[in-house]
Amino acid sequence: MPLNTIAKAVGTPCYIYSSATLNRHFEVFQAPLVASETDHIICYAMKANSSLAILDLLVRAGSGFDIVSGGELYRALQAGANPRKIVYSGVGKLPHEIQAALNANILMFNVESADELERIQQVAQAMDKVAPIALRVNPDIDPKTHPYISTGLYESKFGIDIRDAFAVFERAKALSHIEVVGVDCHIGSQITRMQPFLDALARIKTLVQDLQKQGFQIRYLDMGGGLGIPYDAEEPPLPSEYTQAIVERTRDLDCTLIFEPGRVIAGNAGVLLTEVQYLKQNREKRFVIVDTGMHHLIRPTLYHAYQAVQAVNPREGAGFVADLVGPICESGDYLAKDRHLPEVQQGDLLALMSAGAYGYSMASFYNSYARPAEVLVKGDQYALIRERDTLEDMVRGERLPQFDGD
């Protein structure tokens, strides 16, 4: 399906996803677990990309979901998710969100603090329900990734310090409407080495064994997500290498393994298609100005992340070094800095690669720009799965106040 065809029909900017790649990535992750006859649940991390059409595709593939909000719970259920394959992470769960998750009968809550444990107890008791929980344990492992996406260090807001975990497990065991069913660990995102995963697992495994010796029925070991993908020259472990290493080291625990892949499923299954608007050169630099930017793909600005750029219809020529920038009134609005770009002219289409994860899900209305359309491709067909926002969409819900005396 040529990107030109989609651009003519839908316009730019737009996100375009490959259903074949999404299915293939899920299967590549799951196949080694099936082959090894390992009890497991794959819970796709919805924060990577929560578009309903993608969730529906993954439900059909057999996926569960890792959610971090009541809104993600709603989306998962709308997509037909099996609630018994939903785990609820996140540090700030609100009472009504906990209530909704209990009503949905999700598999378990990944509890991130002692205070959260008490709140879940209160909500469950008021509903006369028993809440299944795992504690998210922070093993103090440095995953050697960007500090904004490192979540397993002691200074992180996530999880419970492993040194305090046993006491919190004991407290959970004593609560009337809490059932301890698992242990959870997640150390970060875009991790490209195996060793941080193995170091974390070694510490978590010791904790699980100690808990089991003390009579805790630990049925689930949730190793989170975080496996990286190649954006540029990275060579992260293959999903098979990653899952095999976890399986081999946990066979004696008699636990169902839970994995929360997000980026590794969706990241390289999508592109952000954009059109060149202007070419500009001052005394210092060259710029290629396009119709998308940090409001649609914030990773380069927020994480100094690399996104590959490809010309949809390559032109002859050696190209040139320039900044690829968007229309937003911020100096931080860039998609590539000092990058050797292909030869382009006004009106040309560029594809920003590896944009299937943390693209649309982090998009905004900043500068009152509409969010892009989303398109799913299957074979030689494509479908619009989210319409481009209209000007009316941007102000929906806003009201002009009416005060006495105005």
Side-chain angles (χ1 to χ4, degrees), residues 23-38:
N23 277 312
R24 180 170 59 83
H25 286 175
F26 184 84
E27 178 58 26
V28 165
F29 200 99
Q30 178 171 250
L33 296 167
V34 173
S36 63
E37 299 183 344
T38 301

Side-chain angles (χ1 to χ4, degrees), residues 250-269:
T250 57
R251 288 191 186 279
D252 56 335
L253 294 181
D254 193 26
C255 289
T256 296
L257 295 179
I258 297 176
F259 296 95
E260 300 171 0
R263 185 193 314 265
V264 75
I265 303 294
N268 280 325

Side-chain angles (χ1 to χ4, degrees), residues 1-8 16 271 273 312 349 351:
M1 171 52 61
L3 295 184
N4 282 327
T5 301
I6 297 174
K8 289 177 182 177
I16 306 173
V271 301
L273 191 62
V312 172
L349 295 175

Side-chain angles (χ1 to χ4, degrees), residues 271-335:
V271 301
L272 175 55
L273 191 62
T274 186
E275 183 185 87
V276 175
Q277 301 301 307
Y278 302 103
L279 303 179
K280 177 178 178 178
Q281 183 163 5
N282 60 26
R283 293 179 182 271
E284 303 294 331
K285 297 194 73 167
R286 296 182 73 172
F287 300 90
V288 176
I289 302 169
V290 294
D291 61 0
T292 192
M294 63 180 284
H295 53 320
H296 299 153
L297 188 61
I298 202 171
R299 293 188 68 257
T301 298
L302 186 59
Y303 305 123
H304 305 293
Y306 179 96
Q307 307 275 167
V309 181
Q310 291 193 27
V312 172
N313 298 109
R315 294 180 178 275
E316 291 186 3
F320 49 86
V321 174
D323 286 4
L324 184 67
V325 301
I328 298 299
C329 289
E330 297 276 354
S331 295
D333 177 32
Y334 66 89
L335 298 161

